[in-house]
Amino acid sequence: MSIVTAREMLIEATKGKYAVGAFNITSLVQLEAVVDAAVETKSPVIIQTSVKPSQFYKPAVMVAIYRSLAESAPVPVCLHLDHCTDVAYCKTCADAGYTNIMIDASKQSFEENIRQTKEIVDHCHGHGDISVEGELGTVSGVEDQIKVTEDEAQLANPEQSVEFVERTGLDLFAPAIGTAHGVYKTKEPKVHFERLEKVYQLLNGERVRVPLVVHGGTGLPPEYVERLIAMGGSKFNVSTELKYTLIDTTREYIQAHREEYDPGKVDAAVRDATRKVVIHWMEMLKSPGKA
Ligand SMILES: [Zn+2]
Protein backbone atom coordinates (compact mmCIF):
# COMPACT_ATOMS: atom_id res chain seq x y z
CA MET A 1 0.00 0.00 0.00
CA SER A 2 2.74 2.41 0.85
CA ILE A 3 4.84 2.05 -2.27
CA VAL A 4 3.94 4.83 -4.69
CA THR A 5 5.73 6.83 -7.34
CA ALA A 6 6.95 10.31 -6.62
CA ARG A 7 4.92 11.75 -9.46
CA GLU A 8 1.52 11.04 -7.93
CA MET A 9 2.77 11.93 -4.46
CA LEU A 10 4.10 15.30 -5.62
CA ILE A 11 1.14 16.28 -7.77
CA GLU A 12 -0.93 15.96 -4.61
CA ALA A 13 1.60 18.06 -2.69
CA THR A 14 1.67 20.76 -5.37
CA LYS A 15 -2.10 21.04 -5.36
CA GLY A 16 -2.20 21.05 -1.56
CA LYS A 17 0.52 23.74 -1.21
CA TYR A 18 2.85 21.63 0.88
CA ALA A 19 6.07 19.79 -0.01
CA VAL A 20 7.57 16.37 0.50
CA GLY A 21 11.01 15.91 2.04
CA ALA A 22 13.45 13.83 0.00
CA PHE A 23 16.11 12.71 2.44
CA ASN A 24 19.47 11.39 1.29
CA ILE A 25 20.59 8.46 3.38
CA THR A 26 23.96 6.74 3.47
CA SER A 27 23.16 4.19 6.18
CA LEU A 28 20.35 1.87 7.12
CA VAL A 29 20.02 3.55 10.51
CA GLN A 30 19.16 6.79 8.72
CA LEU A 31 16.73 4.97 6.46
CA GLU A 32 14.85 3.64 9.49
CA ALA A 33 14.88 7.07 11.14
CA VAL A 34 13.37 8.73 8.06
CA VAL A 35 10.58 6.15 7.84
CA ASP A 36 9.96 6.46 11.60
CA ALA A 37 9.66 10.25 11.26
CA ALA A 38 7.19 9.87 8.39
CA VAL A 39 5.06 7.42 10.37
CA GLU A 40 5.16 9.59 13.48
CA THR A 41 4.06 12.72 11.63
CA LYS A 42 1.84 10.96 9.05
CA SER A 43 3.90 12.48 6.23
CA PRO A 44 4.51 11.15 2.74
CA VAL A 45 8.27 10.80 2.28
CA ILE A 46 10.99 10.13 -0.28
CA ILE A 47 14.09 8.16 0.62
CA GLN A 48 17.04 9.05 -1.62
CA THR A 49 20.40 7.52 -2.21
CA SER A 50 23.04 9.07 -4.37
CA VAL A 51 25.04 6.73 -6.55
CA LYS A 52 27.84 5.82 -4.12
CA PRO A 53 25.70 4.53 -1.22
CA SER A 54 23.54 2.69 -3.71
CA GLN A 55 26.65 0.98 -5.11
CA PHE A 56 27.98 0.32 -1.60
CA TYR A 57 24.87 -1.57 -0.48
CA LYS A 58 24.02 -2.81 -4.03
CA PRO A 59 20.69 -1.69 -5.55
CA ALA A 60 18.97 -5.03 -4.89
CA VAL A 61 19.80 -4.90 -1.16
CA MET A 62 18.74 -1.26 -0.92
CA VAL A 63 15.44 -2.05 -2.63
CA ALA A 64 14.77 -5.12 -0.45
CA ILE A 65 15.23 -3.14 2.75
CA TYR A 66 13.22 -0.22 1.41
CA ARG A 67 10.36 -2.52 0.40
CA SER A 68 10.26 -4.29 3.70
CA LEU A 69 10.09 -0.99 5.62
CA ALA A 70 7.75 0.78 3.18
CA GLU A 71 5.27 -2.05 2.81
CA SER A 72 4.60 -2.14 6.52
CA ALA A 73 4.52 1.67 6.93
CA PRO A 74 1.08 3.29 6.97
CA VAL A 75 2.40 6.23 4.90
CA PRO A 76 3.57 6.45 1.27
CA VAL A 77 7.34 6.02 0.87
CA CYS A 78 9.35 6.27 -2.38
CA LEU A 79 12.89 5.19 -3.13
CA HIS A 80 14.73 7.63 -5.37
CA LEU A 81 18.14 7.52 -7.04
CA ASP A 82 19.63 11.02 -6.78
CA HIS A 83 21.91 12.76 -9.32
CA CYS A 84 22.93 9.80 -11.42
CA THR A 85 25.02 10.84 -14.42
CA ASP A 86 25.38 7.30 -15.73
CA VAL A 87 22.57 6.20 -18.05
CA ALA A 88 23.37 2.50 -17.58
CA TYR A 89 23.33 2.75 -13.78
CA CYS A 90 19.99 4.61 -13.87
CA LYS A 91 18.57 1.61 -15.72
CA THR A 92 20.17 -0.84 -13.29
CA CYS A 93 18.47 0.86 -10.33
CA ALA A 94 15.13 1.15 -12.14
CA ASP A 95 15.25 -2.56 -12.95
CA ALA A 96 16.18 -3.36 -9.33
CA GLY A 97 13.05 -1.66 -8.02
CA TYR A 98 13.83 1.99 -7.28
CA THR A 99 10.52 3.84 -7.70
CA ASN A 100 12.11 7.05 -9.06
CA ILE A 101 15.25 7.82 -10.93
CA MET A 102 17.07 11.12 -11.39
CA ILE A 103 19.14 11.24 -14.53
CA ASP A 104 21.42 14.24 -14.16
CA ALA A 105 22.73 15.18 -17.56
CA SER A 106 22.64 18.87 -16.67
CA LYS A 107 26.36 19.31 -17.35
CA GLN A 108 25.88 18.10 -20.93
CA SER A 109 24.70 20.28 -23.81
CA PHE A 110 20.97 20.99 -23.94
CA GLU A 111 20.46 18.49 -26.76
CA GLU A 112 22.49 15.78 -25.04
CA ASN A 113 20.65 16.39 -21.77
CA ILE A 114 17.38 15.87 -23.65
CA ARG A 115 18.68 12.73 -25.35
CA GLN A 116 19.90 11.06 -22.15
CA THR A 117 16.88 12.11 -20.10
CA LYS A 118 14.48 10.82 -22.75
CA GLU A 119 16.35 7.52 -22.89
CA ILE A 120 15.77 7.05 -19.15
CA VAL A 121 12.14 8.19 -19.38
CA ASP A 122 11.50 5.65 -22.16
CA HIS A 123 13.18 2.90 -20.13
CA CYS A 124 11.44 3.73 -16.84
CA HIS A 125 7.98 4.20 -18.33
CA GLY A 126 8.43 1.02 -20.35
CA HIS A 127 9.37 -1.01 -17.27
CA GLY A 128 6.51 -0.10 -15.00
CA ASP A 129 5.41 3.01 -13.24
CA ILE A 130 8.78 4.55 -12.42
CA SER A 131 9.03 8.34 -12.18
CA VAL A 132 11.97 10.19 -13.69
CA GLU A 133 13.49 13.46 -12.50
CA GLY A 134 15.64 15.60 -14.80
CA GLU A 135 17.60 18.79 -14.22
CA LEU A 136 18.28 21.88 -16.28
CA GLY A 137 20.96 24.39 -15.34
CA THR A 138 23.36 23.34 -12.61
CA VAL A 139 23.25 23.36 -8.83
CA SER A 140 26.53 24.53 -7.29
CA GLY A 141 28.41 22.65 -4.58
CA VAL A 142 29.35 18.98 -4.26
CA GLU A 143 26.95 16.08 -4.56
CA ASP A 144 28.52 12.64 -4.55
CA GLN A 145 30.95 12.59 -7.47
CA ILE A 146 29.73 15.80 -9.11
CA LYS A 147 31.40 19.12 -8.37
CA VAL A 148 30.17 22.48 -9.61
CA THR A 149 31.60 25.79 -8.47
CA GLU A 150 29.23 28.69 -7.85
CA ASP A 151 30.62 30.58 -10.84
CA GLU A 152 29.73 27.74 -13.13
CA ALA A 153 26.24 27.39 -11.76
CA GLN A 154 23.76 28.29 -14.41
CA LEU A 155 20.12 28.98 -13.80
CA ALA A 156 17.44 27.17 -15.74
CA ASN A 157 15.97 29.16 -18.60
CA PRO A 158 12.14 29.14 -18.26
CA GLU A 159 11.32 28.76 -21.97
CA GLN A 160 13.98 26.06 -22.37
CA SER A 161 12.50 24.34 -19.32
CA VAL A 162 9.19 23.89 -21.13
CA GLU A 163 10.95 22.52 -24.20
CA PHE A 164 13.03 20.19 -22.01
CA VAL A 165 9.99 18.81 -20.19
CA GLU A 166 7.94 18.40 -23.35
CA ARG A 167 10.65 16.73 -25.41
CA THR A 168 11.73 14.32 -22.66
CA GLY A 169 8.34 13.49 -21.14
CA LEU A 170 9.89 13.49 -17.66
CA ASP A 171 7.81 13.34 -14.48
CA LEU A 172 9.63 15.66 -12.06
CA PHE A 173 11.65 18.71 -13.00
CA ALA A 174 14.53 20.30 -11.12
CA PRO A 175 15.22 23.80 -12.48
CA ALA A 176 18.43 25.33 -11.14
CA ILE A 177 17.37 28.48 -9.25
CA GLY A 178 20.52 29.33 -7.31
CA THR A 179 20.21 26.86 -4.42
CA ALA A 180 23.40 24.95 -3.63
CA HIS A 181 24.56 21.59 -2.35
CA GLY A 182 26.58 21.44 0.86
CA VAL A 183 26.47 24.29 3.34
CA TYR A 184 25.56 27.85 2.30
CA LYS A 185 28.40 30.28 2.88
CA THR A 186 26.10 33.21 3.65
CA LYS A 187 23.00 33.58 5.81
CA GLU A 188 21.06 34.89 2.85
CA PRO A 189 21.93 32.75 -0.17
CA LYS A 190 20.92 34.21 -3.52
CA VAL A 191 17.91 32.15 -4.52
CA HIS A 192 16.05 33.17 -7.66
CA PHE A 193 12.47 32.77 -6.47
CA GLU A 194 11.03 34.51 -9.50
CA ARG A 195 12.73 31.95 -11.71
CA LEU A 196 10.89 29.09 -10.00
CA GLU A 197 7.63 30.99 -10.19
CA LYS A 198 8.05 31.62 -13.91
CA VAL A 199 8.85 27.97 -14.61
CA TYR A 200 5.86 26.94 -12.52
CA GLN A 201 3.52 29.26 -14.40
CA LEU A 202 4.68 28.01 -17.78
CA LEU A 203 4.53 24.31 -16.84
CA ASN A 204 1.78 24.05 -14.26
CA GLY A 205 -0.15 27.29 -14.46
CA GLU A 206 -3.32 25.72 -15.82
CA ARG A 207 -3.01 22.19 -14.50
CA VAL A 208 -0.28 20.53 -12.45
CA ARG A 209 1.63 18.36 -14.90
CA VAL A 210 5.22 18.27 -13.70
CA PRO A 211 6.03 18.78 -10.00
CA LEU A 212 9.09 20.95 -9.32
CA VAL A 213 12.09 19.92 -7.24
CA VAL A 214 14.28 22.15 -5.05
CA HIS A 215 17.82 20.84 -4.56
CA GLY A 216 20.14 22.03 -1.80
CA GLY A 217 17.65 22.13 1.07
CA THR A 218 20.23 22.08 3.88
CA GLY A 219 20.66 25.54 5.39
CA LEU A 220 17.83 27.25 3.50
CA PRO A 221 16.20 29.75 5.88
CA PRO A 222 12.63 28.68 6.85
CA GLU A 223 11.14 31.76 5.21
CA TYR A 224 12.85 30.78 1.93
CA VAL A 225 11.38 27.30 2.20
CA GLU A 226 7.93 28.74 2.75
CA ARG A 227 8.27 31.04 -0.25
CA LEU A 228 9.58 28.27 -2.48
CA ILE A 229 6.61 26.08 -1.58
CA ALA A 230 4.24 28.96 -2.33
CA MET A 231 5.91 29.30 -5.74
CA GLY A 232 5.45 25.65 -6.62
CA GLY A 233 8.38 23.68 -5.11
CA SER A 234 6.99 20.33 -3.98
CA LYS A 235 10.08 18.13 -3.43
CA PHE A 236 12.89 19.42 -1.22
CA ASN A 237 16.16 17.50 -1.19
CA VAL A 238 17.96 17.35 2.16
CA SER A 239 21.32 15.61 2.19
CA THR A 240 24.15 17.47 3.92
CA GLU A 241 22.19 18.00 7.14
CA LEU A 242 21.70 14.27 7.57
CA LYS A 243 25.39 13.58 6.93
CA TYR A 244 26.40 16.14 9.54
CA THR A 245 23.90 14.72 12.01
CA LEU A 246 25.25 11.21 11.55
CA ILE A 247 28.92 12.18 11.92
CA ASP A 248 28.46 14.69 14.75
CA THR A 249 26.16 12.44 16.76
CA THR A 250 28.51 9.48 16.40
CA ARG A 251 31.50 11.56 17.40
CA GLU A 252 29.76 13.11 20.41
CA TYR A 253 28.39 9.79 21.63
CA ILE A 254 31.76 8.09 21.44
CA GLN A 255 33.52 11.00 23.14
CA ALA A 256 31.01 10.87 25.99
CA HIS A 257 31.21 7.06 26.37
CA ARG A 258 34.86 6.24 25.84
CA GLU A 259 34.75 2.99 27.86
CA GLU A 260 31.66 1.61 26.15
CA TYR A 261 31.74 -0.81 23.18
CA ASP A 262 28.07 -1.15 22.25
CA PRO A 263 27.45 -0.24 18.59
CA GLY A 264 23.71 -0.56 19.09
CA LYS A 265 23.78 2.44 21.40
CA VAL A 266 25.65 4.54 18.82
CA ASP A 267 23.06 3.53 16.23
CA ALA A 268 20.21 4.43 18.59
CA ALA A 269 21.72 7.88 19.19
CA VAL A 270 22.09 8.47 15.44
CA ARG A 271 18.58 7.24 14.75
CA ASP A 272 17.10 9.51 17.39
CA ALA A 273 19.01 12.59 16.23
CA THR A 274 18.18 11.90 12.58
CA ARG A 275 14.50 11.40 13.36
CA LYS A 276 14.39 14.82 15.05
CA VAL A 277 16.06 16.58 12.11
CA VAL A 278 13.69 14.91 9.66
CA ILE A 279 10.60 15.81 11.70
CA HIS A 280 11.79 19.42 11.83
CA TRP A 281 12.04 19.43 8.03
CA MET A 282 8.63 17.82 7.65
CA GLU A 283 7.12 20.55 9.77
CA MET A 284 8.79 23.25 7.67
CA LEU A 285 7.45 21.56 4.54
CA LYS A 286 3.95 21.28 6.04
CA SER A 287 3.73 17.56 5.21
CA PRO A 288 2.57 16.25 8.63
CA GLY A 289 -0.93 14.84 8.41
CA LYS A 290 -0.82 14.70 4.59
CA ALA A 291 -0.20 10.95 4.26
ZN1 LIG B 1 20.79 17.81 -5.71
Side-chain angles (χ1 to χ4, degrees):
M1 161 225 156
S2 301
I3 291 181
V4 299
T5 67
R7 183 172 196 273
E8 49 187 311
M9 186 189 271
L10 296 172
I11 286 178
E12 281 300 305
T14 307
K15 288 180 182 166
K17 292 285 175 205
Y18 63 94
V20 176
F23 299 97
N24 281 65
I25 57 110
T26 52
S27 88
L28 302 180
V29 172
Q30 292 172 306
L31 204 170
E32 278 199 342
V34 173
V35 174
D36 284 351
V39 172
E40 196 174 322
T41 60
K42 298 188 174 61
S43 290
V45 73
I46 298 171
I47 305 282
Q48 299 194 150
T49 67
S50 54
V51 171
K52 272 193 221 159
S54 148
Q55 288 170 332
F56 182 86
Y57 282 110
K58 307 282 182 268
V61 174
M62 207 67 241
V63 167
I65 294 165
Y66 152 70
R67 290 194 77 95
S68 120
L69 286 174
E71 275 166 355
S72 58
V75 296
V77 186
C78 300
L79 179 64
H80 178 88
L81 178 69
D82 197 27
H83 284 288
C84 183
T85 56
D86 178 345
V87 167
Y89 196 70
C90 285
K91 293 179 183 175
T92 299
C93 289
D95 296 348
Y98 273 68
T99 62
N100 321 300
I101 301 291
M102 179 186 187
I103 167 73
D104 181 357
S106 61
K107 288 191 96 176
Q108 309 292 333
S109 68
F110 183 59
E111 285 302 322
E112 182 59 14
N113 190 354
I114 288 179
R115 193 192 68 72
Q116 291 188 15
T117 304
K118 184 162 186 344
E119 185 175 338
I120 296 306
V121 169
D122 290 344
H123 182 88
C124 287
H125 292 180
H127 287 72
D129 201 6
I130 303 168
S131 298
V132 177
E133 177 179 329
E135 178 172 312
L136 195 60
T138 44
V139 178
S140 67
V142 181
E143 177 66 37
D144 208 357
Q145 76 279 35
I146 312 160
K147 282 185 195 156
V148 181
T149 67
E150 257 173 75
D151 297 340
E152 280 177 79
Q154 295 173 323
L155 303 178
N157 170 299
E159 284 74 25
Q160 262 194 342
S161 298
V162 175
E163 186 183 347
F164 182 65
V165 167
E166 284 175 353
R167 285 177 61 194
T168 56
L170 55 74
D171 303 286
L172 319 175
F173 178 51
I177 53 168
T179 56
H181 294 134
V183 177
Y184 291 99
K185 290 171 192 73
T186 61
K187 279 208 158 115
E188 291 177 1
K190 177 75 187 129
V191 174
H192 298 255
F193 296 99
E194 70 298 336
R195 183 71 57 127
L196 185 72
E197 192 172 33
K198 176 87 184 179
V199 170
Y200 182 86
Q201 287 307 330
L202 290 174
L203 284 173
N204 297 321
E206 292 177 4
R207 168 177 71 88
V208 181
R209 295 184 295 168
V210 183
L212 301 181
V213 182
V214 176
H215 283 249
T218 299
L220 279 181
E223 60 273 21
Y224 281 36
V225 172
E226 193 172 352
R227 215 171 141 195
L228 289 165
I229 295 172
M231 289 176 170
S234 65
K235 172 178 182 266
F236 279 67
N237 290 3
V238 181
S239 175
T240 303
E241 196 167 343
L242 265 59
K243 288 180 190 153
Y244 277 45
T245 301
L246 186 153
I247 300 285
D248 288 345
T249 307
T250 303
R251 188 183 286 134
E252 283 159 19
Y253 187 90
I254 291 172
Q255 273 168 359
H257 303 83
R258 295 302 293 261
E259 304 302 320
E260 193 177 277
Y261 288 87
D262 186 344
K265 288 191 179 170
V266 183
D267 286 348
V270 170
R271 188 172 59 186
D272 196 42
T274 305
R275 203 185 80 253
K276 285 180 185 150
V277 167
V278 171
I279 288 176
H280 179 244
W281 262 100
M282 287 169 164
E283 284 166 353
M284 274 203 289
L285 300 175
K286 303 189 190 88
S287 68
K290 299 298 195 315

